[in-house]
Amino acid sequence: LQGTKNRRRKWDIGKLIYMDNVSPSTCIKRWRGVEDDDENDENADDEEEDFFSKKDGAITNKSEADDDLEKFKPHFETFKNLMSKWSNFDSIKSRLVGTSRPTSTNK
Amino acid sequence: MSTPRFATFQGCRNFRLLIVLATLSGKPIRVEKIRSDDLNPGLRDHEVSFLRLMEAMTNGSSIEISYTGTTVIYRPGIITGGSYTHQCPPGKPVGYYVEPMLYLAPFSKKKFSVIFRGVTASHQDAGLEAIKWGLMPIMEKFGVRECALHTLKRGSPPLGGGEVHLVVDSLIAQPITMHALESPQISSIRGVAYSTRVSPSMVNRMIDGARKVLKNVGCEVDITADVWRGDNSGKSPGWGITLVAESKKGWRYFSEGIGDAGDVPEDIGALIAYELLEEISKSAVVGRSQLALAIVFMVIGKEDIGRLRITKSQIDEKFIWLLRYIKQIFGTEVFLKPVDDADSDDLIATIKGVGFTNTNKKIA
């Protein structure tokens, strides 16, 4: 059982993107290494099953708006999460001009 | 019917993008199974309206829609542009129609001068400032300098009554090859808070909320109030805010939102400010909502390698769908390679342009 975990491949996103038999959501999951209990060990043959189930599944499972991709606004977390995340600007400090000035601006 | 010359797609996903890509590449496409499992199958009003707009802005396009509306065959003609007025159905705001036009307008035979009438704001689609300050600067980077979106009237949902004028005066042969390898530094944050048919205090309260969040950000924050009154403010009350972080070199990141009845203006202001910070943290050179435009312009560029830095978090489902559709229509793949910098997970998207030239213009 341990073996199966170690066998998990590190996916190359460049290739994964153009593997048409893998649905984009699965691509992202694999690439990020998110554990997906159902398809832990059966990578190769699962792809095809995935392919078949996804097509009908995508329409029924997800709300239409999700699948639509016509949405312009990107996805954001909820207000609460964002608020706690951005209580200070440390993580984007390098991106802001003038933050080399007194660091006290963060307090 | 089933001639393999069509690139075939399934579902209504990214419908506008498909039509736009088909028009740019000149390849006919067939979109099947559009909401075929839905209780109300087929194309929606706004999609049909978009197809009408495409018909008006091109010459020689043929659009066949099946009886049920679940299959569309689109054979693109040439992009002609010109003057036109488009009445947008109330389901989608004008941004929904303006956005795809930006992909086509620079490669048209005549200059684009299109008036869009309808709702000017929504939760999901591009707002006016997002287009003006978010998407048009991207076009500028690719050599489309003279484009503007004039707000003649604002119209909040649900009733709308707004009017905007899209003018694209630069007609270029092909987009400039992009080399953007460094994440730009943000030098200032600007914004606008607007309202139609509500008390101007709402606008100021939104600004207060946003300012509070951005107080310690370390660069200049300038949010203007834009209150619309009288005939030019449409038929419904509404209010919203757009924030834009800009770098000295002209790259922008933005976030936008509108308030509903019952929302607290301070909260909306703060939320959008937090979203702006989040967007900055997730973006390298362009924001997520600008990425598609940048990638498409890179794909139709000169036969030369263009490079654009992106972050890991910009690779999402939407991005993958985009790249797959581009491959299916243009046959071009995007190569991703990690940046040299060890501190960063960013990637460089490398794209060889397809050598598209604006044939529409030459004919004129």
Side-chain angles (χ1 to χ4, degrees), chain A residues 62-81:
Chain A
K62 283 190 187 171
S63 71
E64 185 197 294
D66 264 11
D67 200 38
D68 203 353
L69 297 195
E70 291 281 271
K71 232 174 161 176
F72 178 74
K73 188 167 175 153
H75 170 76
F76 286 107
E77 288 177 52
T78 58
F79 187 55
K80 255 191 193 157
N81 292 348

Side-chain angles (χ1 to χ4, degrees), chain A residues 13-14 16-20 22-25 27-28 31-32 55 59 62 64-65 67-77 79 82-83 85-86 89 92 94-99 101 105 107, chain B residues 10 12-16 35 38 44 96 99 123-124 126 184-186 213 216-218 253 256 271 274-275 277-281 283-284 288 312 315-318 320-321 323-324 327 333-334 336:
Chain A
I13 186 66
L16 211 44
I17 285 177
Y18 292 109
M19 285 162 72
D20 285 336
V22 185
S23 80
S25 56
C27 285
I28 298 289
W31 177 55
R32 298 240 160 97
K55 270 212 200 142
I59 300 164
K62 283 190 187 171
E64 185 197 294
D67 200 38
D68 203 353
L69 297 195
E70 291 281 271
K71 232 174 161 176
F72 178 74
K73 188 167 175 153
H75 170 76
F76 286 107
E77 288 177 52
F79 187 55
L82 287 176
M83 197 155 87
K85 185 172 172 187
W86 294 107
F89 306 116
I92 54 165
S94 58
R95 303 290 300 282
L96 298 164
V97 165
T99 34
R101 282 186 305 155
T105 41
K107 280 169 196 165
Chain B
Q10 309 209 312
C12 58
R13 198 185 290 120
N14 259 350
F15 184 70
R16 288 173 302 164
R35 300 193 182 90
D38 204 283
R44 295 275 187 268
Y96 175 87
E99 196 201 335
H123 285 289
Q124 296 199 343
Q185 287 216 311
I186 291 151
V213 174
N216 289 330
V217 86
Y253 313 93
E256 60 170 350
L271 174 68
Y274 284 127
E275 287 186 354
L277 296 172
E278 178 84 0
E279 191 63 40
I280 293 170
S281 74
S283 319
R288 283 177 291 175
K312 252 184 161 176
I315 300 177
D316 53 9
E317 280 181 53
K318 205 172 170 176
I320 295 180
W321 280 118
L323 296 194
R324 284 186 181 177
K327 189 188 173 190
E333 289 195 9
V334 175
L336 299 169

Side-chain angles (χ1 to χ4, degrees), chain B residues 303-314:
Chain B
E303 278 183 281
D304 198 353
I305 307 278
R307 290 171 298 172
L308 181 75
R309 185 176 178 138
I310 60 172
T311 63
K312 252 184 161 176
S313 43
Q314 279 176 319

